[in-house]
Amino acid sequence: MNDYIKLLKDQDKLNISIDKTKTFNWEYTKIAGPCSVEGPDIIDIAKNIKSLGANAFRAGAYKPCTYPILQEKNGWKEGLRDEGLKLLQQVKKETGLPIVTEVMDASMIDEVGAVADVFQIGTRNFQNYTLLDALGKCNTPILLKRGTWGTIDEILGACERILVGGNDNIAICLRGVVGMPSYRHVFPSTRWAPDLMMIPALKELTNIPIIYDPSHSTGYRNFVKPISRAAMAAGADGLIIESHPRPEESISDPDQAINYETLREIFNG
Ligand code: PEP
Ligand code: MN
């Protein structure tokens, strides 16, 4: 056990008493939606996704991509941005589903917080301490995505950074890590390697809820269902899945989006 984890254990900081059902219910969480808000059809998409068993809706309005060159398509510029937030507000009104969407920067907490029921923190911001400190000061539940490089002590340290600020409604999202998947020459969109063993490893140390992301961790739609099953079998509290009515036409992450039928099988099978 390394010194940092030992310190947390000695200070009893790992036995955080998260009430998993307080402001957002992290137990058996089924979060789904497309990678990003693409237009007004997001309302119908959300209605469909709710009917398939989702209890929260995800879609990015601000949509940072891993590839650093600015991605643009017909008014979508790494997301529909404030227009996307307005559409998510409409989704909330018409479906009643809680909204999970990304906040990229501390300066955007108020704007995104007016719509978001849960702030998603993207993998690239996992160690953005200014943002983590600001999140500690707000009341909105946080879904903290593991940086693709994050070690177990860095994951717990990032959580601690939010917790010490006073916000104890957090969950860790495991979304795959850097690696060199040996199947990549056959399945080129598999950029990350699933990090399933981290589920029982974290469960041994902390009671922070663990939400698994089978979409980014696999990068390829045919792998999403088996890895969803594996994550739940390994003890995850819930799933966050990318689904789209026409998966291959998704503006972002088209290779990993699953259709409604597969989503239904995962949520109800
Ligand atoms: C996403 O959820 O669409 C996303 C971009 O995730 P990550 O930050 O894990 O890459
Ligand atoms: Mn995505």
Side-chain angles (χ1 to χ4, degrees):
M1 183 154 302
N2 81 2
D3 290 349
Y4 178 67
I5 302 289
K6 194 169 170 322
L7 186 75
L8 291 183
K9 262 198 176 307
D10 288 349
Q11 296 173 351
D12 206 24
K13 284 199 176 153
L14 292 166
N15 288 319
I16 305 142
S17 61
I18 297 223
D19 177 353
K20 289 189 187 173
T21 59
K22 196 168 78 179
T23 27
F24 182 76
N25 190 347
W26 296 111
E27 282 180 334
Y28 311 109
T29 312
K30 296 173 184 169
I31 308 168
C35 181
S36 67
V37 182
E38 298 179 355
D41 65 344
I42 196 77
I43 318 285
D44 282 338
I45 294 175
K47 287 179 182 165
N48 283 317
I49 282 191
K50 182 178 182 180
S51 76
L52 299 168
N55 49 27
F57 187 70
R58 63 140 292 147
Y62 290 93
K63 192 64 247 164
C65 300
T66 304
Y67 201 60
I69 293 172
L70 183 68
Q71 315 278 310
E72 273 185 81
K73 195 173 174 184
N74 306 329
W76 183 100
K77 199 168 164 189
E78 285 182 357
L80 290 182
R81 301 171 177 240
D82 53 337
E83 277 310 309
L85 286 178
K86 282 187 203 141
L87 289 166
L88 286 175
Q89 185 75 60
Q90 190 82 10
V91 165
K92 187 150 112 168
K93 200 168 134 212
E94 295 204 22
T95 65
L97 286 175
I99 302 295
V100 181
T101 198
E102 176 150 355
V103 62
M104 289 172 57
D105 188 83
S107 65
M108 295 159 87
I109 284 180
D110 289 345
E111 183 197 356
V112 180
V115 178
D117 296 281
V118 173
F119 283 142
Q120 173 174 317
I121 308 308
T123 197
R124 292 149 224 85
N125 266 325
F126 155 78
Q127 284 178 316
N128 176 340
Y129 296 133
T130 326
L131 177 58
L132 300 187
D133 290 345
L135 293 169
K137 301 260 173 298
C138 71
N139 296 320
T140 307
I142 311 290
L143 183 65
L144 177 67
K145 299 193 92 174
R146 175 191 191 179
T148 53
W149 63 92
T151 57
I152 191 162
D153 44 352
E154 288 165 355
I155 298 171
L156 291 167
C159 291
E160 192 193 1
R161 194 88 193 200
I162 300 172
L163 289 163
V164 293
N167 187 346
D168 66 355
N169 203 326
I170 60 173
I172 296 165
C173 177
L174 298 172
R175 48 80 72 223
V177 286
V178 283
M180 230 199 285
S182 51
Y183 33 80
R184 210 182 158 183
H185 60 293
V186 178
F187 304 107
S189 64
T190 55
R191 286 181 295 175
W192 319 109
D195 43 355
L196 292 164
M197 196 165 77
M198 194 55 90
I199 301 169
L202 283 165
K203 289 277 172 192
E204 191 153 312
L205 294 170
T206 175
N207 72 348
I208 297 173
I210 311 293
I211 307 300
Y212 202 79
D213 174 347
S215 306
H216 295 86
S217 60
T218 63
Y220 181 53
R221 72 180 112 266
N222 293 1
F223 299 163
V224 169
K225 184 172 151 188
I227 295 300
S228 297
R229 297 265 193 267
M232 293 312 286
D237 293 274
L239 297 168
I240 180 166
I241 301 179
E242 289 188 349
S243 179
H244 190 285
R246 295 168 307 285
E248 56 295 331
E249 290 175 26
S250 306
I251 295 181
S252 49
D253 288 340
D255 294 340
Q256 69 199 33
I258 57 169
N259 61 25
Y260 290 158
E261 183 52 26
T262 312
L263 188 68
R264 193 191 56 73
E265 287 166 14
I266 294 172
F267 281 167
N268 304 294

